[in-house]
Amino acid sequence: MASKVIHAIYNDDDVLLLAVKQVREARYHIGEIYTPFPVHGLDKAMGLAPTRLAITSFLYGVVGLVVSIWMMQFIMIEDWPQDIGGKPSFSFLQNMPAFVPIMFELTVFFAAHLMVITFYMRSKLWPFKIAENPDVRTTDDKFLMEVDAANLNVDDLSDFLYKTGASEIKIIDNK
């Protein structure tokens, strides 16, 4: 099944943001937007749901805290207790002030590393993945809006996109 998409190129991020709002008001479906830098407010203009990555970061931090507590309990209290600097080695709670930096560092370590892994998995950025950027100019100074044109009048949609401020329009036939 063949589907058509239109690539509209914009020169300015403010024009792109206004165009996204106009395209959504006209009830056209925006497939993707490629920008050389993050555009503030673009996610809300596109109607994207808010991210839940902060929740996963908190959960990963909790996992890091639990692992650090379990690790210190096992290593320093149960497996090989030592008298270091006169500190008692038979109680986790008595050693807690000395363990706080370790708990903090492992919480941050787990949250940071697992968030990077989660981001790559969610974004489908695998090692040796071929780039899916449709126009290399979007990595420099251009902004590209990909609008689905299946079952639509392509000429009317192109005229509409030119009126929103697009400097260039390409019709792509995906097969």
Side-chain angles (χ1 to χ4, degrees):
M1 178 178 164
S3 64
K4 289 185 179 181
V5 294
I6 293 182
H7 290 171
I9 305 280
Y10 293 88
N11 294 325
D12 187 21
D13 57 336
D14 293 328
V15 175
L16 172 75
L17 195 57
L18 186 60
V20 167
K21 292 175 184 176
Q22 292 173 350
V23 168
R24 289 215 17 159
E25 286 174 2
R27 304 258 186 229
Y28 292 117
H29 181 262
I30 299 172
E32 190 67 55
I33 294 181
Y34 299 90
T35 63
F37 54 84
V39 177
H40 181 70
L42 187 60
D43 53 344
K44 290 183 182 177
M46 289 180 65
L48 298 176
T51 181
R52 295 184 302 267
L53 285 177
I55 297 168
T56 59
S57 177
F58 174 75
L59 293 176
Y60 294 153
V62 169
V63 168
L65 181 65
V66 168
V67 166
S68 68
I69 291 172
W70 173 81
M71 181 187 74
M72 289 180 296
Q73 172 69 27
F74 179 74
I75 293 172
M76 299 299 291
I77 307 300
E78 295 175 15
D79 186 41
W80 195 2
Q82 296 179 6
D83 185 4
I84 300 172
K87 295 178 182 164
S89 59
F90 54 84
S91 171
F92 182 83
L93 291 177
Q94 288 179 332
N95 286 324
M96 179 85 111
F99 291 161
V100 168
I102 299 169
M103 291 187 293
F104 172 76
E105 289 298 329
L106 279 178
T107 299
V108 172
F109 180 85
F110 270 69
H113 285 80
L114 291 175
M115 281 300 299
V116 168
I117 292 169
T118 301
F119 173 75
Y120 284 146
M121 289 175 60
R122 183 75 176 106
S123 300
K124 297 178 182 155
L125 293 174
W126 313 112
F128 310 110
K129 183 176 190 286
I130 297 172
E132 297 177 3
N133 192 352
D135 193 335
V136 295
R137 295 178 294 172
T138 60
T139 61
D140 188 24
D141 64 344
K142 302 292 182 192
F143 303 86
L144 186 140
M145 181 186 336
E146 185 178 88
V147 181
D148 294 334
N151 304 324
L152 295 175
N153 187 347
V154 176
D155 294 329
D156 291 343
L157 182 55
S158 296
D159 291 339
F160 175 76
L161 289 172
Y162 273 123
K163 289 177 185 175
T164 62
S167 62
E168 182 181 330
I169 303 255
K170 291 182 186 175
I171 301 169
I172 309 295
D173 192 15
N174 295 332
K175 293 182 182 181

